Amino acid sequence: MASRLINSRLALSRVYAVGGSKNRRFLSTESNKVDEPFKVEEAETVHVPPPPSDKLLVLGGNGFVGSHILREALNRGLVVASLSRSGKSSLHDSWANNVTWHQGNLLSSDSWKEALDGVTSVISCVGGFGSNSYMYKINGTANINAIRAAAEKGVKRFVYISAADFGLANYLLQGYYEGKRAAETELLTKFPYGGVILRPGFIYGTRTVGSVKLPLGVVGSPMEMVLQHAKPLNQLPIVGPLFTPPVNVTAVAKVAVRAATDPVFPPGIVDVHGIQRFSQQMSR
């Protein structure tokens, strides 16, 4: 019986570690032998580069809305570039030195496509007025070219600054609105999960024209305060769109940059009331 008990204890012998982690030795209950420490090879150190910063390209970045978007993106720590027909902005503000300025025409050669290299998101502020054919080209064709090129380059998100419907104005500016809506359709097709369309009405703020600064907020701000509470009037037939409230250019810039960089920002169309709502959420 005693023999069986001894054999069982020997069979169930365990290894005990004694001493500190630095001078550790291993003892076996089977004998008085001191085993050598286990040799553990040191893992190879792998240097993993930090995740690349989001790179934002703003089309029409030297314009009124575009320049505010660039400044907002820089404030968020993004790598920022601009593409426009005139190239570098005439602004002398210090933040402009932190922008990579590209010159190119979305309606001409493909050379401007190099500006999309390494870009993760695009915001287009391209648009303009003129004859119906010109308005369709600058608001529609130019943006469609940009949307297709961005999709081919693997850009993740694309935000388009479009325009709210103004009822009668849609017919008076037929080429303008037809171009806008054609670009919207292309965006929702090419970027079903990362395409966002902002439809502001009148955008106000201090606008620089040459050496003159126009304080559009003097008119726009009071109108926004009144009309943002008159949403039911916006639903009236024919005259309803005339009650669309103005929106501050800063609010448009904040929402545009968020829509371009936040992967959970919902795709689709955001009207002026949605712009105001998202902007207010970000200001809290």
Side-chain angles (χ1 to χ4, degrees):
M1 188 70 180
S3 176
R4 289 182 180 178
L5 183 59
I6 293 172
N7 289 337
S8 297
R9 287 179 176 177
L10 291 173
L12 296 173
S13 62
R14 298 175 59 190
V15 176
Y16 296 93
V18 297
S21 60
K22 185 175 181 180
N23 299 311
R24 181 169 292 180
R25 296 185 303 169
F26 299 88
L27 302 181
S28 171
T29 56
E30 293 182 345
S31 68
N32 293 327
K33 179 183 177 182
V34 179
D35 295 333
E36 293 295 327
F38 292 123
K39 293 182 179 180
V40 180
E41 294 185 1
E42 185 179 350
E44 181 182 355
T45 302
V46 178
H47 296 284
V48 179
S53 300
D54 288 338
K55 183 178 180 181
L56 172 67
L57 176 65
V58 179
L59 306 178
N62 57 2
F64 172 52
V65 178
S67 61
H68 282 79
I69 289 175
L70 289 174
R71 186 161 45 188
E72 173 67 20
L74 288 171
N75 289 339
R76 294 199 188 190
L78 300 175
V79 178
V80 184
S82 169
L83 172 69
S84 61
R85 287 179 294 179
S86 57
K88 188 172 182 178
S89 172
S90 58
L91 294 173
H92 299 292
D93 297 333
S94 58
W95 62 263
N97 297 324
N98 298 319
V99 177
T100 300
W101 301 94
H102 299 280
Q103 185 174 10
N105 188 343
L106 296 176
L107 291 172
S108 60
S109 65
D110 294 339
S111 60
W112 56 267
K113 292 183 180 180
E114 295 178 358
L116 287 166
D117 292 342
V119 168
T120 53
S121 54
V122 173
I123 300 176
S124 178
C125 309
V126 174
F129 297 94
S131 65
N132 276 324
S133 60
Y134 174 79
M135 288 191 291
Y136 186 90
K137 285 182 180 179
I138 196 67
N139 294 284
T141 307
N143 284 295
I144 290 172
N145 290 345
I147 292 165
R148 291 175 178 173
E152 291 173 1
K153 286 279 190 175
V155 171
K156 296 177 182 178
R157 300 185 67 82
F158 197 113
V159 178
Y160 176 43
I161 310 298
S162 187
D165 288 320
F166 275 100
L168 216 52
N170 291 28
Y171 297 96
L172 299 175
L173 300 170
Q174 186 175 357
Y176 179 85
Y177 280 97
E178 287 183 355
K180 292 282 189 185
R181 300 302 173 248
E184 290 181 1
T185 300
E186 187 69 20
L187 178 60
L188 296 178
T189 301
K190 289 290 192 293
F191 290 87
Y193 304 109
V196 178
I197 298 162
L198 302 187
R199 285 185 177 178
F202 170 61
I203 302 176
Y204 68 87
T206 301
R207 187 164 192 162
T208 302
V209 180
S211 59
V212 180
K213 292 188 176 183
L214 302 177
L216 302 180
V218 173
V219 176
S221 183
M223 287 179 63
E224 180 181 18
M225 292 182 66
V226 172
L227 294 177
Q228 69 179 338
H229 301 296
K231 190 174 181 180
L233 296 176
N234 194 233
Q235 307 302 318
L236 293 174
I238 303 177
V239 298
L242 298 177
F243 292 97
T244 299
V247 62
N248 194 308
V249 66
T250 302
V252 175
K254 286 181 178 294
V255 177
V257 174
R258 179 186 169 188
T261 56
D262 186 352
V264 300
F265 193 98
I269 299 172
V270 182
D271 65 10
V272 63
H273 298 286
I275 294 171
Q276 290 173 329
R277 185 173 63 255
F278 279 118
S279 176
Q280 289 166 1
Q281 290 174 356
M282 295 170 68
S283 300
R284 291 172 186 169

